[in-house]
Amino acid sequence: MTWQQRIDGALEQRRASGSFRTRQANEHGSGRYLVQDAHRYLNFSSNDYLGISQHARVITAWQHGAEIYGVGSGGSGHVTGYNEAHQQFEEQLADWLGYPRALLFISGFAANQAVIAALSEKPDRILADKLSHASLLEAAMHSPAQLRRFAHNDVASLQKLLAQPTEGQQLVVTEGVFSMDGDEAPLADIAQTTRHAGGLLMVDDAHGIGVIGDEGRGSCDQQNVKPDLLVVTFGKAFGASGAAVLCSESMADYLLQFARHLIYSTAMPPAQAYALSASLNVIREDNFRRSQLHANIARFRMGAARLPLELRASQTAIQPLIVGENQAAIHLAATLRERGFWLTAIRPPTVPQGTARLRITLTASHTFEDIDRLLEALHDATC
Ligand SMILES: *Cc1c(COP(=O)(O)O)cnc(C)c1O
């Protein structure tokens, strides 16, 4: 088989499975409206949960940061790239979340890869929730440690795996809020079970941080849990991009020695760290954004319960409507698009076979009228 035959074969297989991925540039994509080809759609697919991507104060901070520091960091943080703007934002994060240290990464994907790669050795075991994000599962799969998945949100299943004898260390990995289902992990029980077995706990709170709990401190703070490694990302509620790992002094020092994604990669632009710091101030202060989001979630759920689609138990901004077959999900998304709504059909392999869905994300930028209009369109398309 030649290279070209292998690539053509893989593409053919994807097309046949109904899971072929495409993307199309838009003119504007992160706010309440998505604009594409001069059409304006109500956007129900954005992770900008609090509407901060368009916040004037954050935009001004990014501009101001670029004026002070320029647009690039100039190198790895281990050479010249680590700037006072990074340091100040890290200190602000550590203080907000109650950890000794925070380390910035260029993305959540990089942070998860880096941490898992830096920690795992051959006899170790990584025990991850079955529905963990691809960035976690793939890192574990490619690590020298053995990956075992426990049943979703099932502490007994985790406990059983932890109890199996091992010569190595055990790293337990889960999320605060699951990205495709919107449900929340029983973090207190998971933390207790992990600690009891002498394991290390890593929680990825990409979808909880900023949105859940007092001052938006996230799932762990709300459940009164302090994982050994807390990963927060800035592409969702923070409205920008990037990530941080919150941890102990020694863990931070360890990661600075061994996290290759930090050492061999250009640091985030200082202007971005400067803007993220402004974004964090907005997150802490603007309780009304979280209140609006939670009111929107309640309104959507009340209406969606009357539709002939499976609504999951999610209390978060992620509200999946399970359609089932791939083609049916694509068709429903297309029908809604014609009526002016932007929604994405999520299909296997991102979600399990037979659970193709519309992943609806609600944000603080939506009004009750936006939500009612979506519910009416969903009703017309499915009833
Ligand atoms: C979005 C997401 C990531 C990846 O973060 P990026 O900053 O977008 O790379 C990691 N984990 C979870 C659970 C996510 O939802």
Side-chain angles (χ1 to χ4, degrees), residues 44-138:
F44 282 100
S45 285
S46 162
N47 293 326
D48 182 19
Y49 299 126
L50 300 177
I52 291 181
S53 76
Q54 315 295 322
H55 197 291
R57 203 164 127 196
V58 180
I59 294 170
T60 305
W62 202 315
Q63 290 166 334
H64 190 200
E67 278 157 20
I68 305 171
Y69 302 114
V71 293
S73 66
S76 157
H78 286 61
V79 186
T80 61
Y82 187 58
N83 177 275
E84 62 182 14
H86 299 118
Q87 186 175 20
Q88 279 160 15
F89 181 48
E90 285 178 346
E91 285 170 6
Q92 198 186 359
L93 281 169
D95 177 58
W96 179 49
L97 296 171
Y99 276 83
R101 294 278 289 275
L103 292 180
L104 291 182
F105 285 80
I106 206 77
S107 72
F109 197 98
N112 286 339
Q113 302 277 312
V115 168
I116 288 175
L119 286 172
S120 21
E121 291 180 13
K122 181 119 181 96
D124 298 345
R125 242 177 356 213
I126 300 172
L127 310 178
D129 187 288
K130 205 163 181 275
L131 295 190
S132 297
H133 192 260
S135 57
L136 295 162
L137 292 178
E138 277 174 29

XYZ file of all heavy atoms in Angstrom, residues 44-138:
728
model
N -25.673 28.699 19.119
C -25.848 27.797 20.265
C -24.757 26.720 20.289
O -24.989 25.604 20.745
C -27.239 27.156 20.242
C -28.322 28.092 20.724
C -29.132 28.768 19.816
C -28.524 28.318 22.077
C -30.115 29.639 20.252
C -29.511 29.186 22.531
C -30.302 29.857 21.618
N -23.579 27.078 19.779
C -22.467 26.112 19.782
C -21.200 26.682 20.381
O -20.153 26.034 20.329
C -22.160 25.661 18.350
O -23.144 24.754 17.917
N -21.261 27.876 20.939
C -20.038 28.502 21.426
C -19.794 28.137 22.887
O -20.728 28.019 23.679
C -20.171 30.018 21.280
O -19.219 30.674 22.086
N -18.517 27.966 23.244
C -18.149 27.691 24.644
C -17.867 28.969 25.427
O -17.354 28.907 26.550
C -16.900 26.818 24.698
C -17.152 25.420 24.167
O -18.239 24.889 24.328
N -16.158 24.837 23.540
N -18.182 30.101 24.834
C -17.941 31.396 25.467
C -19.083 31.647 26.471
O -19.893 32.552 26.309
C -17.913 32.457 24.350
C -17.629 33.858 24.839
O -17.110 34.000 25.955
O -17.938 34.799 24.091
N -19.099 30.817 27.526
C -20.260 30.715 28.412
C -20.702 32.020 29.049
O -21.869 32.200 29.368
C -19.978 29.711 29.541
C -19.707 28.315 29.052
C -18.557 27.637 29.433
C -20.601 27.669 28.208
C -18.299 26.355 28.991
C -20.354 26.396 27.759
C -19.198 25.742 28.152
O -18.954 24.469 27.702
N -19.753 32.915 29.305
C -20.117 34.152 30.002
C -20.106 35.365 29.073
O -20.297 36.493 29.510
C -19.167 34.388 31.190
C -19.157 33.281 32.253
C -18.139 33.593 33.344
C -20.546 33.101 32.872
N -19.853 35.133 27.789
C -19.841 36.243 26.829
C -18.610 37.125 26.952
O -18.609 38.274 26.508
N -17.535 36.591 27.515
C -16.368 37.433 27.786
C -15.488 37.630 26.543
O -14.705 38.575 26.491
C -15.585 36.855 28.997
C -16.440 37.044 30.254
C -14.219 37.520 29.176
C -15.807 36.550 31.535
N -15.652 36.783 25.530
C -14.805 36.954 24.332
C -15.021 38.324 23.692
O -14.158 38.812 22.970
C -15.078 35.848 23.315
O -16.294 36.084 22.644
N -16.181 38.936 23.955
C -16.484 40.240 23.345
C -16.420 41.370 24.377
O -16.868 42.479 24.097
C -17.907 40.221 22.742
C -18.252 38.976 21.940
C -17.414 38.844 20.697
O -17.106 39.830 20.041
N -17.009 37.625 20.373
N -15.903 41.097 25.548
C -15.964 42.091 26.630
C -14.984 43.249 26.400
O -13.779 43.025 26.211
C -15.648 41.405 27.956
C -16.069 42.201 29.146
N -15.456 43.378 29.498
C -17.041 41.986 30.059
C -16.032 43.858 30.594
N -17.001 43.025 30.948
N -15.511 44.472 26.446
C -14.701 45.653 26.105
C -13.450 45.756 26.984
O -12.362 46.072 26.503
C -15.550 46.908 26.239
N -13.615 45.463 28.276
C -12.487 45.605 29.191
C -11.355 44.614 28.856
O -10.178 44.931 28.974
C -13.017 45.327 30.608
C -12.210 45.926 31.713
C -13.069 45.895 32.978
N -12.363 45.247 34.066
C -12.950 44.801 35.178
N -14.267 44.899 35.343
N -12.240 44.243 36.119
N -11.754 43.427 28.424
C -10.766 42.392 28.096
C -10.096 42.709 26.754
O -8.879 42.560 26.596
C -11.430 41.002 28.088
C -10.416 39.915 27.745
C -12.083 40.717 29.444
N -10.882 43.188 25.811
C -10.323 43.575 24.502
C -9.318 44.713 24.699
O -8.203 44.690 24.161
C -11.450 43.996 23.530
C -12.336 42.785 23.196
C -10.870 44.613 22.258
C -13.617 43.123 22.449
N -9.692 45.692 25.501
C -8.787 46.821 25.765
C -7.509 46.340 26.443
O -6.410 46.800 26.127
C -9.498 47.860 26.659
O -10.716 48.227 26.023
C -8.641 49.100 26.849
N -7.664 45.396 27.371
C -6.481 44.871 28.075
C -5.539 44.173 27.091
O -4.317 44.322 27.173
C -6.905 43.912 29.180
N -6.109 43.417 26.160
C -5.260 42.717 25.176
C -4.497 43.752 24.323
O -3.293 43.627 24.074
C -6.108 41.786 24.292
C -5.304 40.687 23.648
C -4.093 40.817 23.028
C -5.645 39.291 23.582
N -3.667 39.599 22.575
C -4.596 38.642 22.882
C -6.743 38.537 24.009
C -4.608 37.262 22.626
C -6.754 37.170 23.745
C -5.694 36.539 23.072
N -5.222 44.806 23.894
C -4.576 45.866 23.102
C -3.485 46.556 23.913
O -2.369 46.771 23.431
C -5.628 46.902 22.667
C -6.592 46.365 21.622
C -7.819 47.244 21.454
O -8.206 47.958 22.390
N -8.423 47.189 20.288
N -3.830 46.859 25.136
C -2.882 47.544 26.012
C -1.650 46.664 26.251
O -0.507 47.124 26.179
C -3.595 47.893 27.319
C -2.808 48.802 28.211
N -3.048 48.930 29.558
C -1.760 49.610 27.948
C -2.183 49.779 30.075
N -1.393 50.219 29.123
N -1.904 45.376 26.487
C -0.805 44.427 26.697
C 0.118 44.361 25.492
O 1.349 44.319 25.623
N -0.469 44.392 24.293
C 0.356 44.341 23.075
C 1.197 45.600 22.938
O 2.337 45.554 22.461
C -0.545 44.146 21.855
N 0.627 46.729 23.370
C 1.405 47.973 23.318
C 2.581 47.926 24.289
O 3.673 48.395 23.982
C 0.504 49.172 23.642
C -0.295 49.637 22.439
C -1.545 50.406 22.828
O -1.618 50.906 23.977
O -2.461 50.489 21.990
N 2.351 47.349 25.452
C 3.437 47.289 26.442
C 4.499 46.261 26.041
O 5.693 46.531 26.094
C 2.887 46.912 27.843
C 1.783 47.860 28.288
C 4.024 46.889 28.871
C 1.067 47.403 29.563
N 4.021 45.041 25.674
C 4.954 43.911 25.546
C 5.217 43.458 24.113
O 6.039 42.570 23.896
C 4.413 42.709 26.335
C 4.179 42.988 27.799
C 2.893 42.985 28.336
C 5.249 43.267 28.653
C 2.674 43.238 29.675
C 5.032 43.530 29.995
C 3.741 43.508 30.503
O 3.531 43.760 31.830
N 4.482 44.002 23.132
C 4.570 43.464 21.769
C 3.630 42.283 21.609
O 2.884 41.957 22.537
N 3.669 41.629 20.450
C 2.674 40.580 20.217
C 3.175 39.175 20.565
O 2.375 38.274 20.734
C 2.131 40.583 18.770
C 1.318 41.830 18.509
C 3.255 40.450 17.769
N 4.464 38.979 20.680
C 4.950 37.626 20.959
C 5.825 37.583 22.193
O 6.333 38.604 22.656
N 6.009 36.379 22.737
C 6.815 36.246 23.954
C 8.297 36.099 23.634
O 9.136 36.238 24.513
C 6.333 35.050 24.765
O 6.587 33.855 24.051
N 8.615 35.766 22.389
C 10.023 35.700 21.984
C 10.729 34.393 22.298
O 11.886 34.225 21.936
N 10.060 33.478 22.971
C 10.742 32.198 23.223
C 10.047 31.368 24.285
O 9.005 31.743 24.840
N 10.660 30.242 24.572
C 10.187 29.385 25.657
C 10.319 30.138 26.981
O 11.201 30.989 27.138
C 11.044 28.120 25.696
O 10.991 27.528 26.986
N 9.453 29.811 27.906
C 9.555 30.404 29.227
C 10.874 30.101 29.919
O 11.288 30.812 30.824
N 11.527 29.035 29.490
C 12.806 28.679 30.091
C 13.961 29.500 29.520
O 15.082 29.409 29.999
C 13.092 27.181 29.894
C 12.255 26.305 30.787
N 10.878 26.281 30.724
C 12.595 25.438 31.770
C 10.426 25.420 31.620
N 11.432 24.904 32.273
N 13.673 30.284 28.450
C 14.731 31.121 27.871
C 14.391 32.588 28.146
O 14.752 33.119 29.187
C 14.914 30.811 26.364
C 16.106 31.578 25.808
C 15.128 29.310 26.155
N 13.621 33.231 27.247
C 13.279 34.644 27.502
C 11.777 34.879 27.574
O 11.321 35.999 27.760
C 13.818 35.549 26.376
O 13.202 35.140 25.142
C 15.326 35.457 26.253
N 10.976 33.806 27.375
C 9.538 33.990 27.168
C 8.711 34.241 28.420
O 7.542 34.598 28.323
N 9.294 34.026 29.600
C 8.491 34.163 30.828
C 8.539 35.612 31.297
O 9.565 36.126 31.725
C 9.039 33.223 31.903
C 8.193 33.143 33.155
C 6.859 32.750 33.088
C 8.730 33.453 34.403
C 6.080 32.669 34.237
C 7.961 33.370 35.561
C 6.636 32.980 35.470
O 5.872 32.895 36.607
N 7.374 36.259 31.242
C 7.263 37.697 31.427
C 6.532 38.006 32.727
O 5.805 37.159 33.243
C 6.496 38.225 30.201
C 6.223 39.704 30.237
O 5.230 40.123 30.834
N 7.081 40.490 29.621
N 6.673 39.243 33.199
C 5.981 39.631 34.432
C 4.457 39.472 34.303
O 3.773 39.198 35.280
C 6.324 41.070 34.821
C 5.895 42.103 33.779
C 6.278 43.538 34.132
O 7.099 43.721 35.047
O 5.747 44.448 33.472
N 3.926 39.635 33.068
C 2.478 39.470 32.872
C 2.066 38.016 33.135
O 1.006 37.757 33.716
C 2.079 39.886 31.459
N 2.917 37.069 32.713
C 2.635 35.653 33.014
C 2.678 35.412 34.526
O 1.799 34.776 35.090
C 3.674 34.728 32.370
C 3.733 34.801 30.875
N 4.857 35.210 30.198
C 2.806 34.532 29.934
C 4.624 35.161 28.893
N 3.382 34.757 28.707
N 3.736 35.936 35.130
C 3.922 35.698 36.563
C 2.763 36.270 37.373
O 2.221 35.613 38.268
C 5.238 36.313 37.022
C 5.558 35.975 38.453
C 6.938 36.482 38.875
O 7.505 37.378 38.255
N 7.471 35.890 39.918
N 2.354 37.492 37.029
C 1.263 38.115 37.787
C -0.039 37.333 37.619
O -0.790 37.154 38.573
C 1.078 39.574 37.348
C 2.101 40.485 38.017
C 2.286 41.809 37.290
O 1.468 42.189 36.448
N 3.370 42.510 37.611
N -0.299 36.891 36.397
C -1.532 36.137 36.174
C -1.481 34.789 36.909
O -2.467 34.359 37.508
C -1.772 35.952 34.672
C -3.041 35.210 34.349
C -4.251 35.556 34.954
C -3.041 34.157 33.446
C -5.435 34.866 34.668
C -4.215 33.464 33.152
C -5.406 33.825 33.766
N -0.334 34.137 36.888
C -0.194 32.867 37.624
C -0.453 33.081 39.119
O -1.153 32.280 39.759
C 1.206 32.269 37.415
C 1.394 31.637 36.041
C 2.798 31.089 35.797
O 3.729 31.414 36.570
O 2.971 30.334 34.826
N 0.082 34.154 39.661
C -0.114 34.425 41.093
C -1.587 34.715 41.404
O -2.135 34.276 42.415
C 0.777 35.588 41.538
C 2.238 35.157 41.650
C 3.221 36.316 41.844
O 2.766 37.477 42.003
O 4.430 36.048 41.826
N -2.212 35.449 40.483
C -3.629 35.773 40.640
C -4.486 34.492 40.620
O -5.406 34.329 41.434
C -4.012 36.695 39.479
C -5.287 37.482 39.649
C -5.618 38.251 38.362
O -4.874 38.203 37.361
N -6.733 38.959 38.386
N -4.153 33.582 39.710
C -4.883 32.312 39.613
C -4.703 31.467 40.874
O -5.660 30.905 41.411
C -4.380 31.499 38.420
C -4.872 31.873 37.030
C -4.045 31.126 35.989
C -6.352 31.547 36.870
N -3.457 31.364 41.321
C -3.143 30.541 42.497
C -3.893 31.090 43.709
O -4.467 30.331 44.501
C -1.639 30.524 42.737
N -3.925 32.400 43.829
C -4.618 33.034 44.932
C -6.126 32.786 44.859
O -6.770 32.424 45.847
C -4.315 34.545 44.887
C -5.063 35.307 45.951
O -4.879 34.963 47.125
O -5.840 36.225 45.610
N -6.687 32.938 43.684
C -8.127 32.754 43.471
C -8.567 31.331 43.805
O -9.590 31.110 44.440
C -8.434 33.065 41.991
C -9.836 32.926 41.526
C -10.961 33.424 42.110
C -10.275 32.277 40.324
N -12.063 33.125 41.345
C -11.670 32.425 40.244
C -9.608 31.597 39.290
C -12.428 31.916 39.185
C -10.358 31.099 38.239
C -11.750 31.251 38.191
N -7.757 30.353 43.399
C -8.161 28.956 43.550
C -7.559 28.286 44.783
O -7.834 27.119 45.051
C -7.812 28.180 42.269
C -8.598 28.671 41.040
C -8.075 28.041 39.758
C -10.093 28.391 41.192
N -6.743 29.021 45.524
C -6.213 28.497 46.773
C -5.148 27.429 46.606
O -5.153 26.422 47.329
N -4.268 27.605 45.646
C -3.149 26.678 45.441
C -1.833 27.420 45.616
O -1.757 28.619 45.361
C -3.190 26.097 44.019
C -4.107 24.909 43.872
C -5.471 25.093 43.666
C -3.619 23.613 43.935
C -6.326 24.005 43.528
C -4.457 22.524 43.801
C -5.804 22.724 43.597
O -6.634 21.646 43.472
N -0.771 26.707 46.001
C 0.533 27.367 46.099
C 1.036 27.877 44.751
O 1.668 28.913 44.678
C 1.457 26.261 46.627
C 0.546 25.266 47.265
C -0.744 25.318 46.506
N 0.779 27.119 43.666
C 1.355 27.498 42.377
C 0.381 27.309 41.223
O -0.515 26.462 41.284
C 2.598 26.625 42.085
C 3.764 26.843 43.023
C 4.623 28.042 42.668
N 5.417 27.833 41.460
C 6.612 27.232 41.432
N 7.147 26.761 42.540
N 7.272 27.110 40.295
N 0.595 28.099 40.175
C -0.106 27.912 38.901
C 0.926 28.014 37.798
O 1.830 28.851 37.873
C -1.173 28.986 38.720
N 0.818 27.134 36.789
C 1.721 27.199 35.630
C 0.876 27.364 34.381
O -0.047 26.587 34.134
C 2.524 25.904 35.477
C 3.580 25.554 36.519
C 4.226 24.225 36.126
C 4.629 26.648 36.618
N 1.209 28.362 33.561
C 0.448 28.606 32.329
C 0.912 27.677 31.205
O 2.106 27.404 31.063
C 0.651 30.051 31.862
C 0.030 31.155 32.706
C 0.292 32.505 32.051
C -1.460 30.922 32.874
N -0.049 27.249 30.407
C 0.212 26.470 29.200
C -0.493 27.143 28.028
O -1.409 27.932 28.223
C -0.316 25.033 29.355
C 0.548 24.177 30.240
C 0.460 24.271 31.621
C 1.452 23.271 29.698
C 1.258 23.493 32.441
C 2.256 22.478 30.521
C 2.155 22.583 31.887
N -0.058 26.782 26.834
C -0.594 27.431 25.638
C -2.033 26.975 25.355
O -2.819 27.687 24.751
C 0.355 27.165 24.438
C 0.235 28.259 23.406
C 0.190 25.816 23.842
C 0.939 29.504 23.811
N -2.397 25.774 25.809
C -3.765 25.283 25.614
C -4.051 24.185 26.632
O -3.122 23.630 27.240
C -3.955 24.712 24.201
O -3.275 23.487 24.079
N -5.330 23.876 26.783
C -5.712 22.782 27.652
C -5.184 21.460 27.111
O -4.774 20.581 27.875
N -5.213 21.333 25.801
C -4.708 20.110 25.187
C -3.238 19.907 25.564
O -2.835 18.825 25.998
C -4.875 20.192 23.657
C -4.766 18.864 22.970
C -5.907 18.152 22.622
C -3.532 18.314 22.679
C -5.815 16.915 22.000
C -3.427 17.070 22.055
C -4.569 16.375 21.712
N -2.444 20.965 25.424
C -1.018 20.876 25.752
C -0.814 20.599 27.241
O 0.052 19.798 27.620
C -0.298 22.162 25.345
N -1.598 21.244 28.096
C -1.443 21.046 29.539
C -1.692 19.585 29.905
O -0.917 18.971 30.653
C -2.413 21.962 30.299
N -2.772 19.009 29.365
C -3.095 17.624 29.692
C -2.028 16.661 29.183
O -1.618 15.727 29.883
C -4.463 17.248 29.115
C -5.589 17.886 29.912
O -5.399 18.266 31.070
N -6.760 18.019 29.306
N -1.576 16.890 27.961
C -0.520 16.038 27.396
C 0.741 16.142 28.247
O 1.370 15.144 28.578
C -0.181 16.493 25.966
C -1.341 16.475 25.010
C -1.604 15.122 24.415
O -0.679 14.471 23.943
N -2.830 14.675 24.449
N 1.101 17.371 28.595
C 2.350 17.621 29.309
C 2.345 16.965 30.683
O 3.301 16.290 31.066
C 2.574 19.120 29.445
N 1.273 17.159 31.420
C 1.216 16.650 32.788
C 1.264 15.123 32.787
O 2.036 14.510 33.536
C -0.060 17.155 33.503
C -0.282 16.416 34.810
C 0.037 18.656 33.733
N 0.449 14.521 31.937
C 0.374 13.058 31.932
C 1.698 12.457 31.462
O 2.206 11.493 32.042
C -0.831 12.584 31.089
C -2.109 12.902 31.879
C -0.738 11.104 30.744
C -3.394 12.630 31.161
N 2.302 13.069 30.429
C 3.587 12.555 29.940
C 4.681 12.727 30.993
O 5.519 11.848 31.177
C 3.982 13.264 28.649
N 4.664 13.854 31.683
C 5.743 14.126 32.646
C 5.644 13.220 33.872
O 6.653 12.917 34.507
C 5.696 15.589 33.079
N 4.437 12.776 34.203
C 4.263 12.011 35.440
C 4.362 10.510 35.256
O 4.688 9.789 36.202
C 2.904 12.344 36.082
C 2.803 13.707 36.774
C 1.360 13.973 37.186
C 3.721 13.772 37.990
N 4.043 10.004 34.058
C 3.889 8.545 33.989
C 5.183 7.804 33.682
O 5.970 8.223 32.845
C 2.805 8.148 32.988
O 2.566 9.152 32.074
N 5.328 6.710 34.391
C 6.434 5.792 34.145
C 5.866 4.394 33.902
O 4.685 4.160 34.109
C 7.392 5.798 35.346
C 8.126 7.124 35.456
C 9.093 7.184 36.628
O 9.388 6.124 37.213
O 9.533 8.305 36.945
N 6.759 3.494 33.517
C 6.315 2.203 33.001
C 5.359 1.404 33.908
O 4.318 0.973 33.414
C 7.531 1.363 32.591
C 7.196 0.025 32.022
C 7.708 -0.116 30.586
C 7.330 -1.466 30.012
N 6.120 -1.412 29.228
N 5.666 1.193 35.152
C 4.733 0.314 35.882
C 3.471 1.040 36.355
O 2.617 0.428 37.004
C 5.568 -0.144 37.082
C 6.603 0.906 37.269
C 6.768 1.652 35.988
N 3.325 2.319 36.065
C 2.188 3.095 36.599
C 0.886 2.756 35.889
O 0.875 2.196 34.793
C 2.441 4.600 36.427
C 3.658 5.066 37.197
O 4.124 4.316 38.069
O 4.137 6.178 36.902
N -0.197 3.176 36.551
C -1.514 3.001 35.969
C -2.225 4.346 35.947
O -2.196 5.069 36.938
C -2.313 2.019 36.817
C -2.679 0.810 36.029
C -3.407 -0.289 36.697
N -3.672 -0.212 38.093
C -3.723 -1.272 38.896
N -3.487 -2.474 38.427
N -4.017 -1.146 40.149
N -2.854 4.670 34.823
C -3.689 5.863 34.750
C -5.132 5.393 34.700
O -5.526 4.647 33.802
C -3.352 6.706 33.507
C -1.882 7.149 33.564
C -4.278 7.923 33.412
C -1.391 7.826 32.311
N -5.912 5.811 35.688
C -7.313 5.404 35.759
C -8.148 6.624 35.385
O -8.193 7.611 36.121
C -7.644 4.929 37.168
C -6.666 3.889 37.740
C -7.033 3.510 39.170
C -6.630 2.649 36.856
N -8.766 6.550 34.216
C -9.491 7.720 33.697
C -10.958 7.398 33.498
O -11.304 6.285 33.081
C -8.879 8.167 32.375
N -11.811 8.374 33.774
C -13.237 8.220 33.469
C -13.366 7.918 31.972
O -12.700 8.518 31.136
C -14.004 9.502 33.811
C -15.506 9.330 33.669
O -16.014 9.243 32.520
O -16.185 9.266 34.711
N -14.252 6.989 31.678
C -14.459 6.525 30.310
C -14.781 7.666 29.344
O -14.455 7.609 28.176
C -15.640 5.546 30.352
C -15.671 4.547 29.271
C -16.606 3.411 29.655
C -16.623 2.378 28.588
N -17.457 2.478 27.502
N -15.454 8.702 29.820
C -15.861 9.798 28.940
C -14.908 10.992 28.986
O -15.258 12.086 28.568
C -17.285 10.268 29.295
C -18.422 9.275 29.078
C -19.780 9.959 29.243
C -18.345 8.617 27.702
N -13.693 10.765 29.488
C -12.735 11.875 29.550
C -12.426 12.418 28.153
O -12.467 11.682 27.161
C -11.429 11.415 30.197
O -11.651 11.018 31.521
N -12.075 13.683 28.126
C -11.728 14.393 26.893
C -10.566 13.710 26.160
O -9.677 13.139 26.795
C -11.330 15.826 27.269
C -11.212 16.760 26.113
N -10.007 17.095 25.556
C -12.150 17.452 25.424
C -10.206 17.965 24.573
N -11.504 18.200 24.472
N -10.593 13.811 24.834
C -9.556 13.181 24.002
C -8.142 13.589 24.423
O -7.216 12.777 24.360
C -9.789 13.541 22.539
N -7.974 14.824 24.868
C -6.625 15.278 25.243
C -6.083 14.495 26.431
O -4.867 14.309 26.562
C -6.636 16.770 25.563
O -7.553 17.059 26.595
N -6.969 14.007 27.295
C -6.552 13.211 28.449
C -6.335 11.755 28.041
O -5.309 11.148 28.365
C -7.612 13.279 29.549
C -7.845 14.657 30.176
C -9.173 14.695 30.916
C -6.706 15.017 31.113
N -7.309 11.202 27.338
C -7.233 9.777 26.985
C -6.076 9.510 26.034
O -5.359 8.515 26.168
C -8.557 9.314 26.377
C -9.731 9.283 27.363
C -11.014 8.854 26.658
C -9.442 8.344 28.534
N -5.874 10.402 25.085
C -4.787 10.185 24.127
C -3.432 10.299 24.807
O -2.522 9.534 24.512
C -4.892 11.156 22.960
C -5.855 10.638 21.924
C -6.122 11.617 20.801
O -5.235 12.427 20.491
O -7.232 11.563 20.257
